[in-house]
Amino acid sequence: MSEFTFLFRGSDGSASPEQMQQTMKKWLAWFKELGDKGHIKYPGHPLQRTGKVVSGIQKVVHDGPYAEAKDVVNGFTLINAKDLSQAVELSKGCPILEAGGSVEVRPVQIMDM
Amino acid sequence: MDPSEHLFRRESGRLVAALTRVFGVHNLALAEDVVQHAFCRAMEVWKFRGVPENPSAWLMATAKNRALDVLRRQHAARSFAPELGRLLDSEWTLAPAVEELLAPNALKDNLLRMMFSCCHPALAQESQVALILNILCGFSVSEVGSAFVSGHAAIEKRIQRAKKVLAQSKHLFDVALPSDFSARLPAVHRALYLLFNEGYHGASAAHAVRIELCREAIRLVTILLEHPAGTTSKSYALSALMHLNAARLPARVDGAGNLITLFHQDRSLWNRELMLEGFRFLELSATGHEVTEYHIEAAIAAAHSTALRAEDTDWKVIVALYDTLMQIHPSPVVALNRAIAVAQDQGPARGIAEIEAIEDRDRLADYPFYPAALGELELRRGQRDLARDHFQAARSLARNPMERRFLDQRIGACSK
């Protein structure tokens, strides 16, 4: 088993309360399925939309993280999967894709000492 | 844990009603923003961390924090609820005041205030209903639009205009003043009645939407009946008619989404529980000397409920009830229903004569069930060609696929 992070981008958009509940239901179902199959290493957290980016030797502080809402990472989850291709398959069930968002699948570097 | 069905929609009404008390009715849009924000937060957090034990309390706490934030940041720039007044000037008084207005025991009162506020006399009845659906029932503008069939743009404009009137009313309706309460109560009854009817007889294609509208009407009339001043004989009658009619909903549409008339419904599908509730409310409504249209309509529904088979229906009683209804609340639709009952009792020819005698039947010109009723009676007395013409006229007026399918089937029956 290897570890992967799912980085979620894009929003579920503005919707009516009923649509929001439907979207959330899909997320809960997706998480449950991943969990039941032992793929969830750590459920992760949502990230707030605001924040700062500190950069360079000068330690310049910018409002951030990005200007475009669709580029902002708004949550992460740690996943157990056999390999990258399985992790990618798992990510395809994410409801954020239906709303035009994206999931970035990144293998976690584990140091074998 | 899976949140209960329609939790967000229900909570939306509660939260907006509560926050409007804090912000003032002129800041309705602000209250809606804060609620939207709370839902977004809930979505984000719950999807990762699961739904909390008490989702309603979680939402309220999140909305409350946001509200306090807004009050602190904007109290110099905006005016809020007049009740808050100087309480806003100090943190010592602000937090407890907000706490009190948003407390669980204030919830029903808040909903009731909003319900009465939506029935503002400056608003047309349809606008009142649209406003109730949007604010209290948490349907978005486009969801309200699809419930009413009228175009999205028309509904959007209507709701926006209605909200402007509401915002300009300066105060939320005060349900604590008995004389104001009873003065506005008839308008509230009417709006809830129309809301129920939109679900029961309305033109929305989706059966599920219509059931939801009926449920919402029952939920709101129940809240009304929990307030001492709301427990009038008329409120009980309204609740009775809703329960008794809603009991028949499960039999009204078959598995394929086809409309089934009262005569052909599988009566074993009628919901006994709702029916018993309906009879209980009907009994409670029988006090005082006021007999309203709601009493009569509830009695008609009860007369249908007690017939185990369609042929057991006591049509004489039903005709007599329609006669009374025509006296206290005449309308061409009531007259049409009365004529159908007369036809059941005395044969199709009498029924057709009654329909032709309806004074203002030009007002039924767009109503598909007017020609459909004529078609049914002509068919029954063997005039197939006349019947077909009527059903075809009805079909051209049909408002959704379900009605069209039903009328196609009736047109087919004329050739058999």
Side-chain angles (χ1 to χ4, degrees), chain B residues 13-32:
Chain B
R14 288 187 198 157
L15 292 168
V16 172
L19 289 173
T20 314
R21 288 207 64 199
V22 175
F23 292 148
V25 71
H26 56 292
N27 287 316
L28 176 64
L30 178 64
E32 290 178 321

Side-chain angles (χ1 to χ4, degrees), chain B residues 42-251:
Chain B
M43 280 256 291
E44 285 163 1
V45 176
W46 298 0
K47 64 192 187 190
F48 288 96
R49 312 307 296 183
V51 179
E53 192 83 355
N54 185 344
S56 304
W58 193 104
L59 284 166
M60 181 54 97
T62 307
K64 182 162 64 192
N65 286 337
R66 181 80 168 183
L68 283 168
D69 229 40
V70 169
L71 291 167
R72 286 180 193 121
R73 273 189 291 117
Q74 301 191 9
H75 96 272
R78 274 194 203 242
S79 65
F80 292 105
E83 294 116 292
L84 283 180
R86 307 214 34 210
L87 297 172
L88 271 167
D89 295 343
S90 141
E91 188 62 28
W92 289 103
T93 49
L94 169 64
V98 169
E99 196 74 41
E100 199 182 306
L101 288 173
L102 301 186
N105 59 16
L107 201 113
K108 279 177 187 149
D109 211 48
N110 292 340
L111 283 171
L112 211 56
R113 273 171 204 260
M114 187 54 90
M115 203 190 301
F116 276 67
S117 300
C118 287
C119 298
H120 195 283
L123 295 173
Q125 280 175 345
E126 301 81 59
S127 299
Q128 297 176 357
V129 176
L131 212 49
I132 287 176
L133 280 171
N134 180 228
I135 297 178
L136 275 180
C137 308
F139 289 104
S140 70
V141 172
S142 66
E143 285 162 351
V144 176
S146 72
F148 275 108
V149 212
S150 28
H152 181 268
I155 284 285
E156 188 163 4
K157 264 194 216 126
R158 179 184 287 175
I159 291 178
Q160 263 159 8
R161 264 200 310 263
K163 278 184 173 165
K164 207 174 277 173
V165 170
L166 187 59
Q168 282 164 355
S169 61
K170 296 207 172 62
H171 294 279
L172 276 173
F173 188 88
D174 190 351
V175 289
L177 297 168
S179 60
D180 288 6
F181 192 101
S182 44
R184 193 167 291 185
L185 190 54
V188 173
H189 284 145
R190 201 74 207 150
L192 298 186
Y193 174 79
L194 290 176
L195 172 57
F196 183 84
N197 264 4
E198 195 58 43
Y200 200 74
H201 296 293
S204 173
H207 187 56
V209 169
R210 300 165 46 135
I211 289 185
E212 262 316 292
L213 295 187
C214 292
R215 271 200 202 132
E216 286 299 316
I218 289 179
R219 185 172 74 94
L220 295 177
V221 83
T222 305
I223 292 170
L224 183 60
L225 281 172
E226 280 165 3
H227 191 278
T231 55
T232 64
S233 140
K234 202 169 161 184
S235 301
Y236 281 125
L238 181 59
S239 179
L241 94 85
M242 287 184 189
H243 281 85
L244 289 167
N245 283 313
R248 298 204 300 266
L249 277 172

Side-chain angles (χ1 to χ4, degrees), chain B residues 321-341:
Chain B
L321 287 167
Y322 273 120
D323 285 340
T324 315
L325 193 52
M326 278 304 284
Q327 279 164 22
I328 57 179
H329 200 80
S331 86
V333 174
V334 171
L336 180 64
N337 287 329
R338 182 186 163 277
I340 294 169

Side-chain angles (χ1 to χ4, degrees), chain B residues 354-402:
Chain B
E354 292 286 346
I355 292 180
E356 280 165 356
I358 297 174
E359 258 172 46
D360 38 6
R361 66 192 160 120
D362 51 308
R363 281 172 59 202
L364 296 170
D366 294 331
Y367 186 55
F369 291 101
Y370 167 56
L374 282 170
E376 212 59 65
L377 298 182
E378 291 294 0
L379 182 60
R380 232 177 271 174
R381 67 169 179 180
Q383 301 284 342
R384 286 163 185 271
D385 292 337
L386 277 176
R388 189 179 302 111
D389 289 349
H390 285 307
F391 284 130
Q392 258 150 5
R395 195 192 183 279
S396 69
L397 296 173
R399 298 163 297 181
N400 62 50
M402 185 169 76

Side-chain angles (χ1 to χ4, degrees), chain A residues 8 12 14-21 23-25 27-28 31 42-49 74-77 96, chain B residues 1-9 12 36 39-51 138-140 142-143:
Chain A
F8 304 106
D12 295 305
S14 71
S16 73
E18 191 65 28
Q19 289 163 335
M20 290 171 94
Q21 186 165 347
T23 305
M24 199 185 61
K25 232 170 136 177
W27 275 87
L28 294 173
F31 258 87
Y42 178 68
H45 285 285
L47 300 174
Q48 287 191 22
R49 304 284 150 118
N74 50 43
F76 69 91
T77 295
I96 211 163
Chain B
M1 181 194 147
D2 202 10
S4 60
E5 214 189 346
H6 310 306
L7 170 86
F8 276 29
R9 200 160 61 59
S12 168
Q36 180 75 10
F39 285 140
C40 286
R41 292 279 300 144
M43 280 256 291
E44 285 163 1
V45 176
W46 298 0
K47 64 192 187 190
F48 288 96
R49 312 307 296 183
V51 179
F139 289 104
S140 70
S142 66
E143 285 162 351

